[in-house]
Amino acid sequence: MEFASSSLSSSSSSFLTSEPHFIHDVFINFGGEDIGRRFVSHLHSVLLQSQVKTFISQENLHEGMKLEEQMRAIRHTKITIIVLSKSYTESPCCLLVLEKIIECHETFGQIVLPVFYEIDPLDVRHQKDDFGKALEDTARRSYSGEQLQHAPSRWSSALNRVAGMTGWDDTDFRHDAELVERIVSRVKTLLDYKDLFITEYPVGLESRVKDVIKCIKNQSTKVYMIGILGMRGSGKTTIAKAIYNRIYREFIAKSFIENITYAWHAENKDERYVALQEKLLSDFLKFKLEVKRVGMRRTMIENSFSRKKLLIVLDDVNQIGQLENLWGSLRRFGQGTVIIITTRNASLLNRLKVNYAYETHRLNENESLELFSWRAFREAKPRNKWSLLARNVVVCCGGLPLALQFLGSCLCDRTIEVWESVLLKLQRIPPNEQLLNLLKISFDNLPDTEKDIFLDVCCFFIGKERDYVTEILNGCGLHADIGITFLIERGLIKVERNNKFQIHPLLQAMGRGIIFQECPEEPGERSRLWSQDVKYVLKENTGTEAIEGLSLKLHSTTRACFKAHAFKKMKRLRLLRLYNVQLTGDYGNISEQLRWICWRGFPYKHIPSNFQLQNVIAMDLKYSHLQLLWKQPLWKQPQVLERLKFLNISHSKYLKETPDFSRLPSLEQLILKDCPSLLKVHQSIGDLSNILLINLKDCTSLRYLPREIYKLTSLKTLILSGCSKLGSIDITQVKSLVTIIT
């Protein structure tokens, strides 16, 4: 068979004119009928079972397929799996398709995953021995004259390119099934077809989403920027999430970064950029990459994704500085990239020169009543008895979705007397103070316990895991199992897919405003403190018994020193978070009521003996200077921490040995990740009858584990990856339900 150069060049020029519209998830390219019947058919079957839309090259099978059809399929596929075998270079069709795969990869960023099946990757890179000879023979069979001079070099270049890509060598796996499982797992991770949760009741959403999506179509030849503009609570984020869910399958990679303004409140300027850049990189690469320098992360973003068609949503951007060190990268992405920005700042969109600005509209009267009714009555219309009251409440909400949802949830299953009381409060709210005061009414109608839980989460536990926080707040006597469920049902807090807490920024502002109003003039009389107010109270020694929680986060390059005596009057202190803070003096001044202590960069070699931790549920001492947890004279034993369930001393580079675990009888999670000086795990670890997780990842000096660890019947997960000096674990001694990660 001989291929005409004119047909190839014409297909190439028409083939790569604009960004692709994706029809398939995966294209499988391979050569050899035997490989097709064995490995490729198995891979194809498992991909289909995993609901991955797969297009398989059938050039080697009886049905046959025109070359042009395969070219079109490649163009409309996100991921190409190339199965390279000894017979691959015997097929001219395989090699021509390979050229186009590489062109698509370099032009549009489509993902290429090579599999080296029964062939050495070096043979592919250098076309050695029979593999290279078959390449020359195939060129001679397919071309003549001047074309014959160029074909082998083009094919050789394409093979060399794909051999340098990250893929799989079948010799690294015990059998084909294991290799197939690994490939399919990677494909599913790259595709990541998981919709964002939008809202339980998407009233009025469809028409607004269509308005924005209309403008995206036919904009495939450039990076297209869209601004969604509106006041707080008008549904900007909800619209952006709905658009994201509708279109993300059309992109090579995607990222939705929520609440950028909230992240912007970090004390240190670099930290403000770190969160954005790391989120982009982890979303695009599908694994977390820790790079310390802001400039290096920016370079990685530009180099890795400059040609790719991406979807990026930046939610709640309200200052141009929030995109500094990021914006240059965004504008260099491949054609067809869509960037959506939600904001309250119209001038920001003008400065960014967005291609299209969409202004959110408040819900009309009928939409407002329907959304409110779903929340208040769990049906589309108000019940007759409440109809007039419901309409009057809706009028007070002014068409703002956020207010309608929270007030509806607040009034669900409440008596008419409560409704009338709430309506009276609503009607007294000045128009210029509408939204926050509307939300505050939702808070005012909560039971006292739920109010405390909401304020604790609002001030200390955003981004923390639900189970972790529940244990801590249960230890505070707040019945958090029930209370957290109640707050989620009312929409006041939410739990993301990773089981971590989030709160709408407006609700957080409301919660902190409520605390501020407890005593505007004197911070030491408030129940919870953070940031500059903490510095003032500790420096001026104005703390009182009113304080239940305190948070001061300083950057690692900044360190503040205060006297422990400043805590003496804080008898009810339950929650303490300090980052890079040093306390001097008598630690016995710190409250016995502590349930949670998060002290990053703890500055001492051991915990002072008079630091009363007997009621602590969770202790987080990451990045500490600890060598030992407690240092006691022989005549005085360390205190028993009966209630401690979570102990995290990760990234403590001076820690040499673990504590005596017989003093921690309730411990459930022990996290000692990245403690490079850790030499010894105390043999009493066998006494931990409630332990579920032990994480010793990257403890590079640890040489052995005590055999008592095999006695742990409650243990579920043991992480030992990166423990390079650790001897082999006797798997036969470990109970079968333990997951060991090495």
Side-chain angles (χ1 to χ4, degrees):
M1 165 169 40
E2 187 168 310
F3 293 91
S5 61
S6 59
S7 66
L8 283 174
S9 61
S10 63
S11 74
S12 177
S13 61
S14 62
F15 177 65
L16 298 175
T17 52
S18 62
E19 59 88 15
H21 170 76
F22 295 120
I23 299 171
H24 315 290
D25 296 325
V26 171
F27 178 97
I28 303 178
N29 169 245
F30 71 99
E33 289 185 33
D34 182 49
I35 298 295
R37 284 194 302 268
R38 294 188 292 123
F39 175 73
V40 173
S41 64
H42 185 190
L43 174 61
H44 186 212
S45 174
V46 176
L47 284 168
L48 292 178
Q49 289 170 24
S50 301
Q51 298 183 322
V52 176
K53 291 184 288 185
T54 306
F55 186 101
I56 184 168
S57 165
Q58 301 201 7
E59 183 266 337
N60 299 89
L61 305 182
H62 297 302
E63 294 292 325
M65 177 179 293
K66 292 181 180 178
L67 181 60
E68 291 79 3
E69 291 180 273
Q70 294 196 48
M71 298 299 187
R72 283 195 294 273
I74 294 164
R75 173 170 169 68
H76 296 298
T77 305
K78 285 188 182 181
I79 300 171
T80 297
I81 298 173
I82 304 174
V83 183
L84 294 144
S85 61
K86 292 177 181 177
S87 58
Y88 187 88
T89 51
E90 295 173 7
S91 166
C93 188
C94 271
L95 294 163
L96 288 165
V97 168
L98 176 63
E99 284 187 74
K100 299 309 172 187
I101 291 169
I102 298 301
E103 283 187 54
C104 276
H105 170 71
E106 294 181 346
T107 306
F108 302 117
Q110 277 138 304
I111 299 165
V112 178
L113 302 175
V115 181
F116 302 95
Y117 192 83
E118 297 177 349
I119 189 169
D120 193 313
L122 288 176
D123 289 348
V124 175
R125 181 185 290 275
H126 302 297
Q127 296 94 56
K128 295 164 58 178
D129 303 328
D130 291 343
F131 189 80
K133 185 176 182 300
L135 180 72
E136 298 288 343
D137 291 343
T138 301
R140 282 193 291 271
R141 290 199 319 271
S142 306
Y143 294 105
S144 61
E146 186 178 340
Q147 297 171 42
L148 180 57
Q149 297 177 15
H150 299 295
S153 64
R154 291 199 318 269
W155 292 345
S156 176
S157 175
L159 287 165
N160 185 275
R161 183 85 170 82
V162 78
M165 296 177 180
T166 302
W168 297 274
D169 185 337
D170 74 320
T171 59
D172 294 332
F173 299 87
R174 292 171 295 175
H175 43 67
D176 282 1
E178 185 181 20
L179 173 57
V180 166
E181 181 183 355
R182 185 73 60 85
I183 294 169
V184 173
S185 174
R186 181 61 179 156
V187 166
K188 289 166 69 177
T189 299
L190 288 168
L191 293 173
D192 189 24
Y193 285 166
K194 295 176 184 174
D195 288 356
L196 299 175
F197 175 75
I198 305 172
T199 179
E200 192 174 357
Y201 305 112
V203 177
L205 187 59
E206 182 63 23
S207 61
R208 291 161 172 81
V209 170
K210 283 183 176 177
D211 286 344
V212 181
I213 287 180
K214 269 192 308 188
C215 78
I216 297 175
K217 295 180 179 178
N218 303 317
Q219 300 293 337
S220 60
T221 58
K222 57 184 177 181
V223 175
Y224 196 70
M225 287 185 287
I226 297 168
I228 300 178
L229 176 68
M231 66 178 293
R232 285 180 164 184
S234 61
K236 300 184 298 296
T237 302
T238 300
I239 292 170
K241 286 182 175 180
I243 294 166
Y244 175 94
N245 285 351
R246 195 73 58 86
I247 66 175
Y248 74 77
R249 289 170 177 80
E250 285 296 311
F251 298 84
I252 290 290
K254 72 275 186 194
S255 179
F256 192 110
I257 306 181
E258 198 166 356
N259 296 340
I260 286 176
T261 293
Y262 172 76
W264 190 248
H265 293 308
E267 294 270 347
N268 179 267
K269 184 178 179 180
D270 279 354
E271 286 184 358
R272 298 170 177 176
Y273 307 125
V274 167
L276 302 185
Q277 292 178 323
E278 287 189 347
K279 179 72 165 67
L280 273 179
L281 281 168
S282 63
D283 283 351
F284 292 160
L285 297 173
K286 299 303 175 189
F287 60 86
K288 187 171 182 180
L289 191 67
E290 293 185 4
V291 183
K292 293 184 179 179
R293 289 171 50 200
V294 171
M296 187 178 296
R297 280 189 297 270
R298 184 176 65 239
T299 301
M300 289 182 64
I301 292 171
E302 292 173 0
N303 292 344
S304 301
F305 305 103
S306 60
R307 297 182 303 273
K308 289 181 170 59
K309 178 187 176 185
L310 306 169
L311 172 62
I312 302 165
V313 183
L314 305 173
D315 173 55
D316 196 26
V317 180
N318 291 299
Q319 301 175 34
I320 194 72
Q322 290 168 350
L323 297 179
E324 190 180 345
N325 279 316
L326 185 63
W327 192 243
S329 304
L330 300 181
R331 297 185 69 91
R332 297 184 189 184
F333 291 142
Q335 58 184 355
T337 290
V338 172
I339 301 170
I340 299 173
I341 297 165
T342 75
T343 184
R344 306 187 302 272
N345 186 346
S347 64
L348 174 77
L349 299 182
N350 291 330
R351 291 182 66 184
L352 295 175
K353 298 179 180 179
V354 300
N355 302 96
Y356 176 79
Y358 175 82
E359 188 168 0
T360 58
H361 305 290
R362 299 187 184 211
L363 299 181
N364 62 37
E365 186 178 347
N366 290 333
E367 291 171 334
S368 296
L369 186 61
E370 182 182 351
L371 179 57
F372 178 81
S373 296
W374 278 117
R375 288 287 186 179
F377 306 107
R378 302 183 184 91
E379 51 192 71
K381 294 181 180 179
R383 296 168 192 160
N384 290 335
K385 189 177 179 181
W386 277 269
S387 182
L388 181 59
L389 277 169
R391 291 177 187 278
N392 288 333
V393 170
V394 164
V395 168
C396 295
C397 292
L400 291 172
L402 189 65
L404 290 160
Q405 290 181 77
F406 287 122
L407 276 171
S409 297
C410 163
L411 292 170
C412 182
D413 298 328
R414 307 302 288 268
T415 65
I416 282 184
E417 289 75 21
V418 171
W419 277 66
E420 289 172 341
S421 172
V422 167
L423 179 59
L424 190 62
K425 292 178 184 177
L426 290 171
Q427 291 169 337
R428 292 173 179 169
I429 296 174
N432 61 335
E433 300 176 9
Q434 187 182 34
L435 186 53
L436 279 174
N437 282 287
L438 285 170
L439 298 177
K440 188 174 183 301
I441 289 172
S442 299
F443 175 85
D444 289 341
N445 282 275
L446 293 174
D448 288 344
T449 299
E450 279 67 27
K451 286 180 181 177
D452 278 332
I453 293 172
F454 173 79
L455 293 175
D456 282 346
V457 173
C458 179
C459 294
F460 304 106
F461 296 122
I462 294 175
K464 300 293 184 183
E465 290 189 357
R466 178 178 180 172
D467 295 343
Y468 176 80
V469 176
T470 300
E471 290 281 5
I472 293 166
L473 297 185
N474 278 342
C476 296
L478 293 177
H479 308 291
D481 307 82
I482 300 168
I484 287 171
T485 301
F486 180 89
L487 291 170
I488 291 170
E489 289 173 351
R490 294 299 187 271
L492 289 164
I493 61 177
K494 57 184 178 179
V495 178
E496 298 293 343
R497 285 185 304 181
N498 55 10
N499 204 36
K500 293 182 178 180
F501 284 124
Q502 290 297 330
I503 292 182
H504 193 285
L506 264 177
L507 290 171
Q508 185 183 35
M510 176 201 73
R512 293 193 166 191
I514 288 167
I515 293 166
F516 179 81
Q517 289 301 321
E518 291 174 351
C519 190
E521 302 301 324
E522 183 48 67
E525 297 285 348
R526 300 176 200 156
S527 62
R528 296 157 182 86
L529 296 178
W530 56 91
S531 193
Q532 298 302 318
D533 288 336
V534 176
K535 290 183 181 179
Y536 172 80
V537 167
L538 295 181
K539 184 177 179 181
E540 302 298 327
N541 195 18
T542 57
T544 69
E545 194 170 346
I547 298 173
E548 298 180 43
L550 183 151
S551 174
L552 177 58
K553 298 172 68 173
L554 300 177
H555 186 251
S556 57
T557 58
T558 308
R559 188 172 290 275
C561 184
F562 303 98
K563 294 180 179 178
H565 182 75
F567 287 86
K568 188 173 181 62
K569 296 178 183 177
M570 303 181 201
K571 302 295 186 183
R572 298 169 60 206
L573 186 67
R574 301 178 287 115
L575 310 171
L576 177 63
R577 175 166 58 193
L578 300 173
Y579 282 24
N580 301 303
V581 172
Q582 184 170 353
L583 294 182
T584 61
D586 185 0
Y587 274 60
N589 287 306
I590 301 175
S591 170
E592 297 179 14
Q593 300 305 313
L594 274 183
R595 298 298 191 272
W596 177 60
I597 177 168
C598 178
W599 194 331
R600 303 286 174 87
F602 185 78
Y604 300 111
K605 294 180 181 180
H606 52 81
I607 297 173
S609 59
N610 57 347
F611 196 172
Q612 301 180 71
L613 302 172
Q614 60 266 32
N615 290 309
V616 170
I617 307 293
M619 188 155 45
D620 181 340
L621 301 176
K622 290 181 184 176
Y623 301 98
S624 76
H625 291 244
L626 290 167
Q627 294 182 11
L628 306 169
L629 256 70
W630 290 278
K631 185 179 181 181
Q632 296 283 358
L634 293 176
W635 54 268
K636 185 177 181 182
Q637 292 296 318
Q639 57 187 315
V640 177
L641 306 190
E642 289 277 2
R643 306 181 68 177
L644 188 70
K645 293 188 176 184
F646 305 94
L647 178 60
N648 189 340
I649 328 175
S650 298
H651 313 291
S652 296
K653 61 181 180 180
Y654 306 109
L655 186 71
K656 294 180 179 179
E657 60 182 80
T658 66
D660 180 344
F661 293 108
S662 64
R663 303 282 164 177
L664 311 174
S666 302
L667 197 64
E668 294 180 2
Q669 292 189 17
L670 173 65
I671 306 175
L672 299 170
K673 184 169 65 174
D674 184 31
C675 294
S677 300
L678 184 65
L679 299 170
K680 179 181 178 183
V681 174
H682 199 279
Q683 62 190 29
S684 62
I685 196 166
D687 296 336
L688 296 178
S689 58
N690 298 300
I691 195 74
L692 301 172
L693 166 69
I694 299 174
N695 187 345
L696 296 166
K697 180 181 178 182
D698 294 330
C699 291
T700 51
S701 296
L702 190 63
R703 293 182 177 275
Y704 69 94
L705 292 176
R707 296 192 61 82
E708 284 79 4
I709 202 166
Y710 299 141
K711 299 194 300 185
L712 298 173
T713 57
S714 61
L715 185 64
K716 301 295 183 187
T717 306
L718 175 61
I719 302 175
L720 302 172
S721 55
C723 296
S724 52
K725 295 182 181 178
L726 188 63
S728 59
I729 299 295
D730 187 354
I731 300 293
T732 61
Q733 298 293 317
V734 182
K735 71 185 187 72
S736 59
L737 294 179
V738 177
T739 300
I740 301 178
I741 301 174
T742 59

